[in-house]
Amino acid sequence: MRAVARLLIRLGIHVRLLRSDTRGNIALAFAFIGPAVILLGVGAVDLFAVHTAKVRLQSIADAAALAGAPSLALATDGAAAKERAASFVAGAMSDWSEGPSFEGTYEVVDQGGQRAIRVLLRGHRPSFFANLLPPGGWNFQGDATATSLGLVPLCVLVTADTNARVLNITDTGRIAAPACMVHSNRDILVEGGSITAAAVQAVTSASGAISPTPGTGAARIADPFAALDLDRSGLADCVVGAVLEPLKLAVGVTRIRPGIHCGGLEISGTAAVVLEPGEHWFSRGSLIVKDGARLQGDDVVLFFDTASRFQFIDNALVSLSGRTSGAYAGIVMGATRDNRQDFIISSDNVDSLLGVIYVPTARLVVQGRADVARDSAWTVIVARSLQLTGAPSLFVNADYDATTVPVPKGVGPRAGGARLIE
């Protein structure tokens, strides 16, 4: 800007000198040179305006990439990152009075094995000389690529820190968590099968077929739901000392309202049970789904007291999604803190467990040929210990934007930031 100002000052000085000199040759020289000098000055102003616009367009591209990058950890397809970047650009361009016309391109790219978002803005503005110089007007662009510095989403947390083999896989079982992290507060021992995740780490040791190479010596992660109120099992509502029998259903379709289910529930045969939205507390009796029975429920949470547990076995079909609001938003199944039983999944058809499975002092056992949670948009497991035996497959998806079930604070996406890639 100062250079342009100095140029215009010099032009003004020359014009005044020419005007003050009445000699014919100087007047004639000015007649030929003056327009060219003035044209040069106007061109310099136009060029400076284009340079300023290019700098501003690049700044918008930088800021848009940084705005979109943190969302790369939230959705596996990157759609949220692209949408957020495009929204930022639209807002910035609408605030730019007399801004250039532009076209924006937003894409998720690979940068050294890490996803990044690239924002390419192609700007155009007419030149001062009726688009003759340069022909068609001025074309320029802003190009920026940014990657997330957010921590890898946490989707499997084994909380025990005293007993060995707290995360143990034998035979041909496998855990697949391609977009999130598997963490153990003690060890990870894969004696057969495999773990594949975005990141795997243990506080003590990790061995076996684990990809990527696991980190050890990690910092312990505290129970993210330690303050969650689980003292609502309603034991007082069940007759103390009475022999409670489970409700047995073998045929037909039954809808069950939320509340306290004393004595438990056994679903078998061809029965189908629909849990209505709300909190379902199992007191002094377990939930057993077996044979070819079906259990489903949306916007539900299932809690089990010290004398209760769930067992999904045989060819039972289970499809549950967690609470969308309230104190237990994001939780789909849980146990009280005095429950030290084994929660067993061995059915081949536990297709959807959308939400957090929280058994803070119990062991989650996935066995047989179970194919678990494959159809869930996202699943989080927080358990004292986790064991896979036989040939089960546990799929832990992390498409957090694909559902209205919120991810509770402390798991799933974790705050970080973003940086531009040069």
Side-chain angles (χ1 to χ4, degrees), residues 119-130:
V119 177
L120 177 61
L121 305 179
R122 294 183 174 90
H124 174 81
R125 61 175 292 165
S127 68
F128 185 81
F129 303 107

Side-chain angles (χ1 to χ4, degrees), residues 216-343:
T216 56
R220 182 180 181 277
I221 297 178
D223 180 351
F225 309 121
L228 188 67
D229 179 14
L230 299 180
D231 296 327
R232 298 173 60 186
S233 59
L235 287 175
D237 294 333
C238 295
V239 178
V240 177
V243 177
L244 299 176
E245 295 292 334
L247 173 63
K248 295 184 179 182
L249 302 170
V251 295
V253 178
T254 304
R255 299 185 68 88
I256 296 181
R257 294 181 177 180
I260 304 193
H261 310 307
C262 297
L265 176 62
E266 183 177 307
I267 312 169
S268 62
T270 60
V273 169
V274 178
L275 300 178
E276 295 186 351
E279 300 166 11
H280 294 263
W281 295 88
F282 289 83
S283 178
R284 302 178 64 195
S286 298
L287 170 63
I288 300 173
V289 188
K290 61 183 181 179
D291 301 331
R294 300 169 61 94
L295 174 68
Q296 64 186 76
D298 294 325
D299 191 15
V300 297
V301 60
L302 287 61
F303 276 111
F304 301 86
D305 71 3
T306 185
S308 308
R309 63 176 179 165
F310 63 73
Q311 296 185 71
F312 304 144
I313 57 179
D314 301 328
N315 294 312
L317 192 151
V318 178
S319 179
L320 301 170
S321 65
R323 294 288 280 154
T324 59
S325 61
Y328 303 115
I331 309 291
V332 65
M333 292 193 294
T336 56
R337 295 189 175 86
D338 56 356
N339 190 325
R340 292 175 172 79
Q341 300 195 56
D342 286 349
F343 288 77

Side-chain angles (χ1 to χ4, degrees), residues 22-163:
T22 57
R23 290 174 296 179
N25 59 339
I26 294 179
L28 183 62
F30 175 73
F32 286 103
I33 298 175
V37 173
I38 294 173
L39 194 62
L40 181 62
V42 172
V45 173
D46 194 29
L47 186 62
F48 178 77
V50 171
H51 173 73
T52 301
K54 182 181 184 304
V55 170
R56 183 166 179 175
L57 193 68
Q58 181 62 53
S59 296
I60 292 174
D62 290 344
L66 290 171
S71 296
L72 292 173
L74 302 179
T76 56
D77 62 0
K82 292 186 285 187
E83 181 179 349
R84 188 170 181 180
S87 177
F88 183 94
V89 170
M93 295 303 293
S94 66
D95 292 338
W96 188 352
S97 61
E98 300 182 0
S101 59
F102 78 100
E103 293 181 357
T105 301
Y106 314 91
E107 60 178 338
V108 176
V109 298
D110 182 271
Q111 289 286 335
Q114 185 175 11
R115 293 194 308 163
I117 182 168
R118 182 188 182 197
V119 177
L120 177 61
L121 305 179
R122 294 183 174 90
H124 174 81
R125 61 175 292 165
S127 68
F128 185 81
F129 303 107
N131 287 339
L132 296 177
L133 186 64
W138 298 100
N139 294 305
F140 47 92
Q141 68 179 35
D143 190 355
T145 301
T147 188
S148 173
L149 292 178
L151 300 174
V152 176
L154 174 63
C155 58
V156 175
L157 172 59
V158 177
T159 60
D161 56 8
T162 56
N163 297 325

Side-chain angles (χ1 to χ4, degrees), residues 168-176 190-195 209 366-370 388-394:
N168 183 215
I169 300 178
T170 61
D171 305 320
T172 59
R174 67 188 184 103
I175 295 176
V190 180
E191 298 177 289
S194 63
I195 296 177
V366 184
Q367 62 187 26
R369 305 186 66 84
L388 274 66
T389 64
S393 295
L394 175 58

Side-chain angles (χ1 to χ4, degrees), residues 312-316 346-351 367-372:
F312 304 144
I313 57 179
D314 301 328
N315 294 312
S346 63
S347 169
D348 296 341
N349 300 305
V350 183
D351 297 330
Q367 62 187 26
R369 305 186 66 84
D371 189 2
V372 179

